[in-house]
Amino acid sequence: GEPALRCPAGGVGADRHVLCALCADGHTASEAGQPLAVRRMRGCAVGCPAVGCGARPWTLKELALVVSEASLDLHVAAKAELREADLVKEVEQRLKANACVGVAGVASGLGFEDTARALYVKIADEVLTLRCSRCTAAFADFDGCAALWCSRCNAALCAYCQHDCGEDAHTHVATCEFGYGTWCSQQQFRKANRLRMRPRIIEMLEKSTLHNEKLIRRVLEMCEMAEEEVNDVPGGGEGVPDDDEDDEDDEDE
């Protein structure tokens, strides 16, 4: 009959635990949305929701036979996010202990690329991800007006520097040192934030890598590649044209 997830053998009353395709889909998506701490405790696995059931979690292959592609993608992404978070945590612990070895200066026990990737993920979360300066909610949407409002706490924010302007950001954005006025294109918005973020990124890298130039360059390359992927999105450069196209000269100053 209809596709269903049957509780794997080994659970208490396992033959009674069956999830229909709709319930299995919702359960898989729900587990993927759990906080990192919960996912870590459960091994980021999707198990039988029946209370007291001791059966093993379902395998990826078993899930793929029943749940939707969208929910399966959420599950895979959740596992990847947990792996990255754990890697970042490990690198931070090792770097804090100054456990750096060799001319590459990478954290002891980790390869060069793994260390660079972990540092990039940390920077992406703490620096590259734009957040409300009042409640730290992440945001990405942008409609051309640089005076933003946080959908969570209603703070008035500057799109260029994320300054908390109280109840109205229009006066601030018109004269923000990083900005282009009240209205700007996606290109100008990204350029303003890139120029503002770069000194903080370099300072963070120098501290985390004990001034290892090779590792710093590699992480900066990862940041630039991520930015290029964003810029390749259709419509990413629509709006007011960027009146200063020479980004490299500005970054060098």
Side-chain angles (χ1 to χ4, degrees):
E2 294 293 327
L5 267 182
R6 297 187 178 278
C7 191
V12 178
D15 56 336
R16 299 196 309 270
H17 303 158
V18 179
L19 291 181
C20 69
L22 183 62
C23 291
D25 198 62
H27 179 53
T28 301
S30 176
E31 290 296 282
Q34 294 293 329
L36 279 173
V38 176
R39 277 183 269 159
R40 183 177 292 111
M41 179 179 65
R42 297 176 180 173
C44 210
V46 181
C48 177
V51 177
C53 179
R56 64 166 176 79
W58 285 292
T59 66
L60 187 62
K61 182 178 180 180
E62 289 169 337
L63 292 173
L65 293 174
V66 178
V67 305
S68 67
E69 184 177 347
S71 291
L72 198 66
D73 286 345
L74 288 175
H75 173 62
V76 172
K79 294 184 71 172
E81 182 186 21
L82 180 60
R83 284 196 300 269
E84 287 189 340
D86 288 343
L87 182 58
V88 169
K89 185 176 181 180
E90 182 180 356
V91 169
E92 286 180 336
Q93 291 174 341
R94 293 175 185 272
L95 290 174
K96 284 180 180 179
N98 291 330
C100 293
V101 295
V103 294
V106 299
S108 177
L110 291 175
F112 180 83
E113 281 297 312
D114 282 344
T115 302
R117 176 65 182 169
L119 289 171
Y120 164 73
V121 171
K122 178 178 172 63
I123 288 171
D125 180 62
E126 297 184 10
V127 183
L128 300 181
T129 300
L130 302 180
R131 298 182 182 277
C132 171
S133 51
R134 185 182 299 180
C135 72
T136 72
F139 67 88
D141 293 337
F142 184 74
D143 62 4
C145 178
L148 308 178
W149 276 272
C150 175
S151 60
R152 177 190 289 177
C153 69
N154 293 320
L157 305 169
C158 172
Y160 302 120
C161 68
Q162 285 75 65
H163 176 67
D164 184 346
C165 302
E167 298 181 353
D168 192 335
H170 287 84
T171 301
H172 172 86
V173 300
T175 58
C176 178
E177 62 177 308
F178 298 103
Y180 294 85
T182 305
W183 292 86
C184 70
S185 67
Q186 284 280 357
Q187 289 176 329
Q188 290 171 326
F189 169 66
R190 291 176 185 139
K191 178 180 177 181
N193 278 283
R194 182 172 69 249
L195 294 178
R196 179 183 61 83
M197 293 171 178
R198 190 174 179 85
R200 185 180 170 194
I201 291 172
I202 293 176
E203 179 183 2
M204 186 175 176
L205 284 173
E206 288 179 342
K207 182 178 179 181
S208 298
T209 64
L210 304 182
H211 298 268
N212 186 295
E213 294 184 3
K214 183 179 179 181
L215 193 54
I216 290 174
R217 285 197 301 270
R218 179 61 184 131
V219 178
L220 289 176
E221 286 176 1
M222 291 180 173
C223 293
E224 290 168 0
M225 285 189 291
E227 182 182 355
E228 288 174 1
E229 290 178 1
V230 172
N231 289 335
D232 285 341
V233 174
E238 293 180 355
V240 181
D242 192 340
D243 55 5
D244 185 354
E245 298 178 353
D246 193 359
D247 289 357
E248 294 183 0
D249 290 343
D250 284 351
E251 290 178 2
D252 292 337
E253 292 178 359

